[in-house]
Every structure is written in structure tokens, then in C-alpha cells.
Amino acid sequence: MIVSNLSFRHARSHQQVLCDVSFRAEPGTVSVILGPNGSGKTTIFKCMAGLWKAQSGTVSYEDGNLLALPTWKRARLMSVVPQEHEPPFPYTVEQIVEMGRAAYIGAFSSPSKRDLEIADQAMRML
């Protein structure tokens, strides 16, 4: 995934949070974004996921514009787990990771044995 010249400004406060941020996250690796509180780490992810609209810049994956993809296709490539979240139920870590398979499971369906294996493999990898 390649983030190029990503800029973001809050609409209400007009506060510039990101200014020409660029980086590359290589497939098959774990990438980390470090910075102090309030430096824009969460904003980067929200813009990359299409939850917030960046003022400028691109997010590319396999030579294509990630933000131009339909939501369901983008969900198969990346997801964002919010920092602050009050879940309505006491989910286990395993259940939360399994929710990452939602883009591959039909509506009103349960995860298959293969989905559970993939979730388990992801937890072991990390």
C-alpha cells in the first residue's frame, strides 16, 4: 500500500492535521506508525479507509486507487479498529478478529471453518 501526499484538515475547526504524508507499507509485513498523541496517526487510518475524506493525496494498492474501490472490496484489503469503542456485548479477542472476515461472509451467515482458521492464523502471526 502506498500513501502519497495525504493531507487532511478538519472541516469545522480548519485545523490542519496531515500535510503531505507519504509512506509505503510492503505486502506480507507488519508496518507501524509511531507518533505522539494528537499527531494524526488515527487520522491517517481513517483517511486510508475512506472514513474521512482527505483534502489531497492518494492511497494506492496494486497500482490502483484504494479509495475508488467499492466499500466491500476495500474491506477485503484493510480494516480499522477504533481506539475508543464501547462494544454492545463483551466480545472476546477471537470474536473481534473473526469479525474481520465479514467482507468474505454472506449476510446472515456464520464464519466457516476456513474463516476461523484464517482468523486464528492472523492472531498467531501477530
Side-chain angles (χ1 to χ4, degrees):
M1 189 169 301
I2 301 170
V3 173
S4 300
N5 304 313
L6 199 63
S7 294
F8 178 83
R9 177 185 307 267
H10 284 289
R12 288 188 180 166
S13 68
H14 302 291
Q15 178 187 4
Q16 185 81 37
V17 180
L18 304 176
C19 185
D20 293 326
V21 172
S22 298
F23 63 90
R24 177 186 300 260
E26 296 294 334
T29 65
V30 176
S31 300
V32 178
I33 298 176
L34 299 173
N37 290 345
S39 62
K41 300 178 300 291
T42 300
T43 300
I44 290 170
F45 288 114
K46 287 182 177 182
C47 289
M48 288 173 63
L51 301 173
W52 287 1
K53 186 173 178 7
Q55 274 65 49
S56 62
T58 59
V59 180
S60 303
Y61 181 77
E62 294 184 351
D63 298 325
N65 181 355
L66 184 68
L67 300 178
L69 294 175
T71 304
W72 69 271
K73 282 188 177 180
R74 195 168 49 240
R76 289 184 172 193
L77 298 172
M78 72 171 300
S79 63
V80 176
V81 179
Q83 278 180 293
E84 297 174 11
H85 176 65
E86 292 287 333
F89 302 102
Y91 295 113
T92 65
V93 171
E94 290 83 3
Q95 290 169 323
I96 296 291
V97 174
E98 289 164 8
M99 287 179 199
R101 297 293 300 161
Y104 298 90
I105 301 169
F108 308 109
S109 298
S110 296
S112 68
K113 182 178 178 186
R114 180 70 181 134
D115 291 314
L116 299 176
E117 289 169 355
I118 291 170
D120 183 63
Q121 180 182 9
M123 288 187 292
R124 290 178 190 278
M125 185 177 74
L126 291 174

